[in-house]
Amino acid sequence: MSEHSLRGRTAIVTGAGRGLGRAEALELARHGARVVVNDYGSPGRDGSGGASAEPAEEVAAEIRAAGGEAVAHQGDVADFAQAGELVRLALDTWGSLDILVNNAGILRDRMIFSMSEEEWDTVVRVHLKGHFNTTHFAAAHWRERSKATGGPVYGRIVNTSSEAFVAGSAGQPNYAAAKGGIVGLTTSTAGALAKYGVTTNAICPRARTRMTEDVFEGFEVPADGLDPLAPEHVSPLVAYLASPAASHVNGQLLVVHGGMVAVLDRPRVAAKFDTAKDVFTLDELDEKLTPFFAGRSPRETFAATEVLALKKD
């Protein structure tokens, strides 16, 4: 079997009724995976509107029409019980679970001074708690299987973070915080599950979807060729991370878009200062730190952080 083949593997993709999740589910199926297509089905990108089974059903039907195997799950991954039911559906349907792609999310954008408690809680709940819930049940299953077999098992988790966490996003404090939390969840899970044979990685995708339609205003779809912001630029990386070929890739954060993949380093020390005595005084901190940040406004200090900036070219 090819190192890229997913034949015989079972995958769950959350938020797979549209956009990135749909492209990821189709890509995994194309490489042979059996896919549980999860989507809550709310029409609004803020999670508003009545839930519907139709988006997940449509993608599952599309996979089956292409000769693949798929079932739909209409459920809220941020609900602990429903996340458990999602994992059980994969196990009950095909007797295994090998791949978990956490993609479901919503937006409630507002500046920090205008954001309501509900807007904060809802976004953190769907993104961060949703990732935790599904990961919890998948991890428990893989740990149990590993103990039963006495060795490592096949398990892949691909989480969805965002450059909003890496670079900051002034109008998305809830979203940026949740995406940062997902990176922490990813690295913690990677360390906890490695001994069972399970890898856990996160991606920061740029893609033109329902959630990002206003973010990419001015970056129009080209008249010819594939849109550089098409979700189809992201899904091959997800399939790779889910494949046997990526068995040594663990605890990583990767930015992906338009034919580019960047592996991000963990934060590095930019400068280090030691006290001359047992404990720093404010005068000593002023003497050491103020010159390091001197000559820049708070905005310029923030902007000096090296990020992968979005460019029209």
Side-chain angles (χ1 to χ4, degrees):
M1 185 182 292
S2 164
E3 281 290 284
H4 304 135
S5 174
L6 298 175
R7 191 161 303 282
R9 308 291 185 192
T10 301
I12 291 172
V13 184
T14 71
R18 306 176 180 92
L20 272 173
R22 173 184 175 274
E24 291 162 354
L26 293 174
E27 184 75 8
L28 292 174
R30 191 171 72 83
H31 290 279
R34 304 169 298 205
V35 185
V36 180
V37 179
N38 162 266
D39 202 282
Y40 192 52
S42 296
R45 68 174 187 171
D46 61 353
S48 63
S52 169
E54 188 173 340
E57 292 284 2
E58 287 181 352
V59 175
E62 189 174 353
I63 291 172
R64 292 192 295 267
E69 296 181 74
V71 294
H73 177 268
Q74 190 260 317
D76 178 8
V77 294
D79 181 284
F80 194 70
Q82 291 184 50
E85 291 167 5
L86 172 59
V87 170
R88 282 193 294 275
L89 176 61
L91 297 173
D92 291 345
T93 304
W94 291 298
S96 67
L97 173 62
D98 306 285
I99 300 156
L100 170 62
V101 180
N102 285 310
N103 170 75
I106 64 169
L107 292 177
R108 299 278 178 93
D109 293 351
R110 206 174 298 278
M111 299 297 282
I112 188 66
F113 40 77
S114 302
M115 181 164 287
S116 69
E117 180 182 15
E118 188 271 339
E119 288 165 336
W120 173 274
D121 288 348
T122 301
V123 168
V124 172
R125 174 184 178 273
V126 173
H127 287 273
L128 186 51
K129 189 183 178 189
H131 274 59
F132 161 75
N133 286 346
T134 54
T135 298
H136 165 80
F137 288 105
H141 166 70
W142 286 321
R143 179 173 178 265
E144 183 179 327
R145 275 190 55 214
S146 177
K147 287 189 171 185
T149 60
V153 299
Y154 191 102
R156 300 284 188 270
I157 301 174
V158 182
N159 290 330
T160 305
S161 183
S162 170
E163 288 173 284
F165 149 70
V166 179
S169 182
Q172 296 182 306
N174 49 3
Y175 180 77
K179 291 305 189 182
I182 287 168
V183 174
L185 174 65
T186 297
T187 54
S188 176
T189 305
L193 299 186
K195 66 181 179 181
Y196 302 117
V198 178
T199 65
T200 310
N201 296 286
I203 62 171
C204 294
R206 291 182 201 166
R208 195 189 307 275
T209 68
R210 181 181 58 150
M211 283 184 60
T212 61
E213 55 192 8
D214 56 343
V215 174
F216 297 121
E217 281 186 40
F219 297 87
E220 302 304 327
V221 179
D224 299 309
L226 184 63
D227 180 2
L229 292 170
E232 287 74 18
H233 286 296
V234 175
S235 54
L237 176 61
V238 172
Y240 165 74
L241 292 173
S243 76
S247 61
H248 298 295
V249 184
N250 192 35
Q252 300 301 306
L253 178 63
L254 304 96
V255 174
V256 54
H257 62 89
M260 186 283 296
V261 174
V263 182
L264 299 193
D265 246 339
R266 297 194 180 188
R268 295 182 176 185
V269 176
K272 180 177 178 293
F273 306 94
D274 297 310
T275 180
K277 300 180 180 180
D278 291 335
V279 179
F280 274 112
T281 65
L282 293 189
D283 285 340
E284 189 182 13
L285 287 169
D286 183 17
E287 177 186 333
K288 293 180 180 293
L289 292 177
T290 299
F292 180 73
F293 294 107
R296 291 180 289 185
S297 69
R299 178 175 292 182
E300 290 168 333
T301 303
F302 172 77
T305 304
E306 186 176 350
V307 298
L308 293 169
L310 180 64
K311 297 179 181 178
K312 290 190 178 183
D313 58 359

mmCIF file of all heavy atoms in Angstrom, residues 121-143:
data_model
loop_
_atom_site.group_PDB
_atom_site.id
_atom_site.type_symbol
_atom_site.label_atom_id
_atom_site.label_comp_id
_atom_site.label_asym_id
_atom_site.label_seq_id
_atom_site.Cartn_x
_atom_site.Cartn_y
_atom_site.Cartn_z
ATOM 1 N N ASP A 121 -17.811 33.875 24.689
ATOM 2 C CA ASP A 121 -18.046 32.494 25.105
ATOM 3 C C ASP A 121 -18.416 31.589 23.937
ATOM 4 O O ASP A 121 -17.968 30.439 23.856
ATOM 5 C CB ASP A 121 -19.161 32.439 26.157
ATOM 6 C CG ASP A 121 -18.725 32.983 27.505
ATOM 7 O OD1 ASP A 121 -17.506 33.202 27.700
ATOM 8 O OD2 ASP A 121 -19.601 33.196 28.371
ATOM 9 N N THR A 122 -19.231 32.092 23.020
ATOM 10 C CA THR A 122 -19.714 31.263 21.920
ATOM 11 C C THR A 122 -18.591 30.846 20.987
ATOM 12 O O THR A 122 -18.488 29.675 20.589
ATOM 13 C CB THR A 122 -20.802 32.008 21.121
ATOM 14 O OG1 THR A 122 -21.882 32.322 22.000
ATOM 15 C CG2 THR A 122 -21.324 31.152 19.977
ATOM 16 N N VAL A 123 -17.722 31.784 20.639
ATOM 17 C CA VAL A 123 -16.623 31.470 19.723
ATOM 18 C C VAL A 123 -15.609 30.533 20.375
ATOM 19 O O VAL A 123 -15.155 29.561 19.760
ATOM 20 C CB VAL A 123 -15.946 32.768 19.226
ATOM 21 C CG1 VAL A 123 -14.633 32.468 18.517
ATOM 22 C CG2 VAL A 123 -16.884 33.513 18.279
ATOM 23 N N VAL A 124 -15.261 30.809 21.623
ATOM 24 C CA VAL A 124 -14.325 29.931 22.334
ATOM 25 C C VAL A 124 -14.928 28.535 22.493
ATOM 26 O O VAL A 124 -14.239 27.519 22.362
ATOM 27 C CB VAL A 124 -13.937 30.527 23.696
ATOM 28 C CG1 VAL A 124 -13.131 29.538 24.526
ATOM 29 C CG2 VAL A 124 -13.135 31.820 23.498
ATOM 30 N N ARG A 125 -16.229 28.483 22.745
ATOM 31 C CA ARG A 125 -16.906 27.193 22.909
ATOM 32 C C ARG A 125 -16.817 26.357 21.639
ATOM 33 O O ARG A 125 -16.439 25.179 21.688
ATOM 34 C CB ARG A 125 -18.371 27.424 23.288
ATOM 35 C CG ARG A 125 -19.212 26.152 23.350
ATOM 36 C CD ARG A 125 -20.673 26.470 23.636
ATOM 37 N NE ARG A 125 -21.484 25.260 23.657
ATOM 38 C CZ ARG A 125 -22.045 24.712 22.586
ATOM 39 N NH1 ARG A 125 -21.901 25.279 21.399
ATOM 40 N NH2 ARG A 125 -22.764 23.612 22.705
ATOM 41 N N VAL A 126 -17.158 26.941 20.505
ATOM 42 C CA VAL A 126 -17.203 26.160 19.270
ATOM 43 C C VAL A 126 -15.800 25.741 18.833
ATOM 44 O O VAL A 126 -15.551 24.571 18.525
ATOM 45 C CB VAL A 126 -17.908 26.945 18.150
ATOM 46 C CG1 VAL A 126 -17.805 26.187 16.815
ATOM 47 C CG2 VAL A 126 -19.369 27.176 18.508
ATOM 48 N N HIS A 127 -14.864 26.694 18.820
ATOM 49 C CA HIS A 127 -13.522 26.383 18.338
ATOM 50 C C HIS A 127 -12.730 25.542 19.343
ATOM 51 O O HIS A 127 -12.315 24.420 19.034
ATOM 52 C CB HIS A 127 -12.756 27.677 18.048
ATOM 53 C CG HIS A 127 -13.212 28.381 16.822
ATOM 54 N ND1 HIS A 127 -12.714 28.097 15.568
ATOM 55 C CD2 HIS A 127 -14.122 29.369 16.648
ATOM 56 C CE1 HIS A 127 -13.301 28.876 14.678
ATOM 57 N NE2 HIS A 127 -14.162 29.660 15.298
ATOM 58 N N LEU A 128 -12.505 26.085 20.516
ATOM 59 C CA LEU A 128 -11.591 25.434 21.458
ATOM 60 C C LEU A 128 -12.226 24.234 22.155
ATOM 61 O O LEU A 128 -11.659 23.145 22.190
ATOM 62 C CB LEU A 128 -11.098 26.457 22.480
ATOM 63 C CG LEU A 128 -10.025 25.989 23.462
ATOM 64 C CD1 LEU A 128 -8.852 25.347 22.747
ATOM 65 C CD2 LEU A 128 -9.552 27.159 24.318
ATOM 66 N N LYS A 129 -13.422 24.420 22.704
ATOM 67 C CA LYS A 129 -14.070 23.292 23.353
ATOM 68 C C LYS A 129 -14.443 22.221 22.331
ATOM 69 O O LYS A 129 -14.363 21.018 22.621
ATOM 70 C CB LYS A 129 -15.309 23.725 24.133
ATOM 71 C CG LYS A 129 -15.875 22.593 24.988
ATOM 72 C CD LYS A 129 -17.145 22.950 25.721
ATOM 73 C CE LYS A 129 -17.666 21.753 26.500
ATOM 74 N NZ LYS A 129 -19.011 21.988 27.061
ATOM 75 N N GLY A 130 -14.853 22.652 21.135
ATOM 76 C CA GLY A 130 -15.176 21.686 20.089
ATOM 77 C C GLY A 130 -13.986 20.812 19.738
ATOM 78 O O GLY A 130 -14.114 19.595 19.560
ATOM 79 N N HIS A 131 -12.797 21.418 19.648
ATOM 80 C CA HIS A 131 -11.584 20.635 19.392
ATOM 81 C C HIS A 131 -11.309 19.684 20.555
ATOM 82 O O HIS A 131 -10.934 18.525 20.344
ATOM 83 C CB HIS A 131 -10.385 21.572 19.199
ATOM 84 C CG HIS A 131 -10.198 22.067 17.802
ATOM 85 N ND1 HIS A 131 -11.141 22.776 17.111
ATOM 86 C CD2 HIS A 131 -9.132 21.948 16.957
ATOM 87 C CE1 HIS A 131 -10.673 23.082 15.901
ATOM 88 N NE2 HIS A 131 -9.460 22.590 15.785
ATOM 89 N N PHE A 132 -11.449 20.183 21.779
ATOM 90 C CA PHE A 132 -11.206 19.323 22.942
ATOM 91 C C PHE A 132 -12.162 18.130 22.969
ATOM 92 O O PHE A 132 -11.746 16.994 23.205
ATOM 93 C CB PHE A 132 -11.347 20.113 24.242
ATOM 94 C CG PHE A 132 -11.571 19.213 25.441
ATOM 95 C CD1 PHE A 132 -10.533 18.475 25.978
ATOM 96 C CD2 PHE A 132 -12.846 19.070 25.991
ATOM 97 C CE1 PHE A 132 -10.750 17.610 27.053
ATOM 98 C CE2 PHE A 132 -13.067 18.215 27.075
ATOM 99 C CZ PHE A 132 -12.013 17.484 27.604
ATOM 100 N N ASN A 133 -13.445 18.384 22.755
ATOM 101 C CA ASN A 133 -14.444 17.329 22.896
ATOM 102 C C ASN A 133 -14.157 16.137 21.984
ATOM 103 O O ASN A 133 -14.127 14.983 22.431
ATOM 104 C CB ASN A 133 -15.838 17.874 22.594
ATOM 105 C CG ASN A 133 -16.385 18.755 23.698
ATOM 106 O OD1 ASN A 133 -15.863 18.781 24.804
ATOM 107 N ND2 ASN A 133 -17.437 19.497 23.396
ATOM 108 N N THR A 134 -13.987 16.405 20.709
ATOM 109 C CA THR A 134 -13.752 15.303 19.771
ATOM 110 C C THR A 134 -12.413 14.632 20.051
ATOM 111 O O THR A 134 -12.291 13.396 19.967
ATOM 112 C CB THR A 134 -13.786 15.803 18.323
ATOM 113 O OG1 THR A 134 -12.864 16.899 18.183
ATOM 114 C CG2 THR A 134 -15.175 16.267 17.924
ATOM 115 N N THR A 135 -11.397 15.441 20.384
ATOM 116 C CA THR A 135 -10.077 14.888 20.685
ATOM 117 C C THR A 135 -10.129 13.986 21.908
ATOM 118 O O THR A 135 -9.499 12.920 21.950
ATOM 119 C CB THR A 135 -9.063 16.020 20.910
ATOM 120 O OG1 THR A 135 -8.945 16.796 19.709
ATOM 121 C CG2 THR A 135 -7.689 15.473 21.281
ATOM 122 N N HIS A 136 -10.891 14.386 22.912
ATOM 123 C CA HIS A 136 -11.028 13.587 24.129
ATOM 124 C C HIS A 136 -11.524 12.179 23.806
ATOM 125 O O HIS A 136 -10.929 11.180 24.242
ATOM 126 C CB HIS A 136 -11.996 14.269 25.096
ATOM 127 C CG HIS A 136 -12.482 13.373 26.192
ATOM 128 N ND1 HIS A 136 -11.743 13.098 27.328
ATOM 129 C CD2 HIS A 136 -13.642 12.659 26.317
ATOM 130 C CE1 HIS A 136 -12.416 12.264 28.102
ATOM 131 N NE2 HIS A 136 -13.577 11.987 27.520
ATOM 132 N N PHE A 137 -12.597 12.093 23.051
ATOM 133 C CA PHE A 137 -13.184 10.776 22.766
ATOM 134 C C PHE A 137 -12.309 9.957 21.819
ATOM 135 O O PHE A 137 -12.170 8.735 21.988
ATOM 136 C CB PHE A 137 -14.597 10.942 22.200
ATOM 137 C CG PHE A 137 -15.590 11.392 23.225
ATOM 138 C CD1 PHE A 137 -16.051 12.700 23.250
ATOM 139 C CD2 PHE A 137 -16.054 10.508 24.190
ATOM 140 C CE1 PHE A 137 -16.972 13.121 24.206
ATOM 141 C CE2 PHE A 137 -16.970 10.913 25.158
ATOM 142 C CZ PHE A 137 -17.420 12.232 25.172
ATOM 143 N N ALA A 138 -11.696 10.607 20.835
ATOM 144 C CA ALA A 138 -10.799 9.879 19.932
ATOM 145 C C ALA A 138 -9.579 9.379 20.689
ATOM 146 O O ALA A 138 -9.147 8.224 20.514
ATOM 147 C CB ALA A 138 -10.378 10.777 18.775
ATOM 148 N N ALA A 139 -9.011 10.230 21.545
ATOM 149 C CA ALA A 139 -7.815 9.854 22.297
ATOM 150 C C ALA A 139 -8.099 8.687 23.243
ATOM 151 O O ALA A 139 -7.279 7.766 23.383
ATOM 152 C CB ALA A 139 -7.288 11.055 23.077
ATOM 153 N N ALA A 140 -9.243 8.730 23.903
ATOM 154 C CA ALA A 140 -9.611 7.642 24.809
ATOM 155 C C ALA A 140 -9.726 6.324 24.045
ATOM 156 O O ALA A 140 -9.297 5.264 24.529
ATOM 157 C CB ALA A 140 -10.921 7.974 25.518
ATOM 158 N N HIS A 141 -10.286 6.388 22.837
ATOM 159 C CA HIS A 141 -10.420 5.182 22.013
ATOM 160 C C HIS A 141 -9.052 4.632 21.636
ATOM 161 O O HIS A 141 -8.798 3.421 21.764
ATOM 162 C CB HIS A 141 -11.229 5.500 20.757
ATOM 163 C CG HIS A 141 -11.129 4.441 19.702
ATOM 164 N ND1 HIS A 141 -11.692 3.191 19.836
ATOM 165 C CD2 HIS A 141 -10.491 4.448 18.489
ATOM 166 C CE1 HIS A 141 -11.436 2.470 18.757
ATOM 167 N NE2 HIS A 141 -10.707 3.206 17.937
ATOM 168 N N TRP A 142 -8.145 5.501 21.168
ATOM 169 C CA TRP A 142 -6.824 5.041 20.742
ATOM 170 C C TRP A 142 -6.007 4.498 21.920
ATOM 171 O O TRP A 142 -5.281 3.525 21.774
ATOM 172 C CB TRP A 142 -6.089 6.175 20.038
ATOM 173 C CG TRP A 142 -6.628 6.447 18.664
ATOM 174 C CD1 TRP A 142 -7.059 5.520 17.747
ATOM 175 C CD2 TRP A 142 -6.802 7.721 18.054
ATOM 176 N NE1 TRP A 142 -7.485 6.149 16.597
ATOM 177 C CE2 TRP A 142 -7.345 7.499 16.747
ATOM 178 C CE3 TRP A 142 -6.555 9.036 18.452
ATOM 179 C CZ2 TRP A 142 -7.613 8.533 15.869
ATOM 180 C CZ3 TRP A 142 -6.831 10.075 17.575
ATOM 181 C CH2 TRP A 142 -7.361 9.817 16.292
ATOM 182 N N ARG A 143 -6.121 5.134 23.072
ATOM 183 C CA ARG A 143 -5.406 4.656 24.259
ATOM 184 C C ARG A 143 -5.899 3.254 24.653
ATOM 185 O O ARG A 143 -5.103 2.361 24.961
ATOM 186 C CB ARG A 143 -5.613 5.634 25.413
ATOM 187 C CG ARG A 143 -4.940 5.231 26.722
ATOM 188 C CD ARG A 143 -5.083 6.373 27.718
ATOM 189 N NE ARG A 143 -4.515 6.044 29.012
ATOM 190 C CZ ARG A 143 -5.199 5.564 30.042
ATOM 191 N NH1 ARG A 143 -6.518 5.348 29.922
ATOM 192 N NH2 ARG A 143 -4.603 5.307 31.183
#
